[in-house]
Amino acid sequence: MSTQDQTEEEKNIKIVRRSFEALNTGDVTKASEFIHPNYFNPESQASPERAKLRGPEEFVDTVKKLRAAFSDLHYEEQENIASNDKVVSIMIVTGKHTGDFFGIPPKGNNFSYQAAHISRIADDKIVEHKAIRDDLRFMMQLGVIGAAWPQYEPILKVWKGMMNKSI
């Protein structure tokens, strides 16, 4: 890898870090500095009103909705892997469910799960974002998912306890 490639990849990591800083602080005033006008997040397609959003507007909407749903929301960087125009950020995400989360009412539950965030960079801005999360752990911790039959509840309880200790 040449020094120029390494510099480009380090620059891309810094760009992606700005998005996590915005998620952690809620400060989205400079989103257009690091979010591309054509920014696309496939997760926003699940909601008809959000499916129309692109660019900084979509990112700002996501940050505001997540911070309204989860107090103490925090993305802790574990590792970044950069190659060409992509950055993979391994994060531990924590918080407390204190507001509506896309139709899931709050129960005040704390959560902690691991996620890989894949960002593609174009023109020194994030143009695409995808996340691979441990949604099973997340939904169990929010109290949305439980055992389908009572006989499996003890197994899930033990597993949930193990999951809480593993991070």
Side-chain angles (χ1 to χ4, degrees):
M1 179 185 318
S2 72
T3 305
Q4 186 177 6
D5 290 339
Q6 193 173 21
T7 303
E8 185 72 20
E9 289 168 351
E10 289 173 352
K11 183 174 70 171
N12 289 346
I13 288 171
K14 288 179 182 176
I15 292 166
V16 170
R17 281 183 175 145
R18 291 186 72 187
S19 69
F20 290 111
E21 288 171 17
L23 282 157
N24 283 338
T25 64
D27 182 0
V28 291
T29 56
K30 296 181 180 180
S32 61
E33 292 179 8
F34 56 89
I35 298 295
H36 196 279
N38 297 327
Y39 174 81
F40 178 68
N41 178 359
E43 291 185 345
S44 65
Q45 301 307 294
S47 162
E49 65 275 358
R50 289 181 38 81
K52 299 171 189 156
L53 300 177
R54 296 287 187 280
E57 182 184 17
E58 193 284 335
F59 179 79
V60 167
D61 186 67
T62 296
V63 170
K64 287 182 177 180
K65 283 186 170 38
L66 289 175
R67 294 200 55 84
F70 305 120
S71 59
D72 304 324
L73 180 65
H74 185 72
Y75 289 75
E76 181 182 333
E77 180 181 307
Q78 302 296 297
E79 184 176 7
N80 284 300
I81 304 157
S83 179
N84 299 318
D85 66 342
K86 291 201 175 70
V87 176
V88 178
S89 302
I90 310 299
M91 310 296 278
I92 301 293
V93 185
T94 58
K96 185 172 187 169
H97 187 197
T98 54
D100 179 76
F101 176 55
F102 299 105
I104 301 171
K107 292 184 179 180
N109 295 5
N110 291 315
F111 62 87
S112 176
Y113 64 89
Q114 192 169 39
H117 293 266
I118 304 161
S119 300
R120 188 168 57 86
I121 310 298
D123 305 321
D124 295 331
K125 296 181 180 187
I126 302 169
V127 70
E128 184 179 8
H129 169 269
K130 297 176 187 174
I132 302 167
R133 291 179 310 272
D134 187 346
D135 281 340
L136 179 59
R137 174 192 302 251
F138 183 40
M139 291 295 123
M140 283 178 68
Q141 291 174 352
L142 293 186
V144 174
I145 295 175
W149 292 282
Q151 68 264 32
Y152 296 125
E153 194 62 47
I155 295 168
L156 274 181
K157 193 172 187 176
V158 168
W159 186 43
K160 186 176 178 183
M162 288 175 14
M163 288 188 330
N164 290 337
K165 293 176 187 170
S166 66
I167 291 186

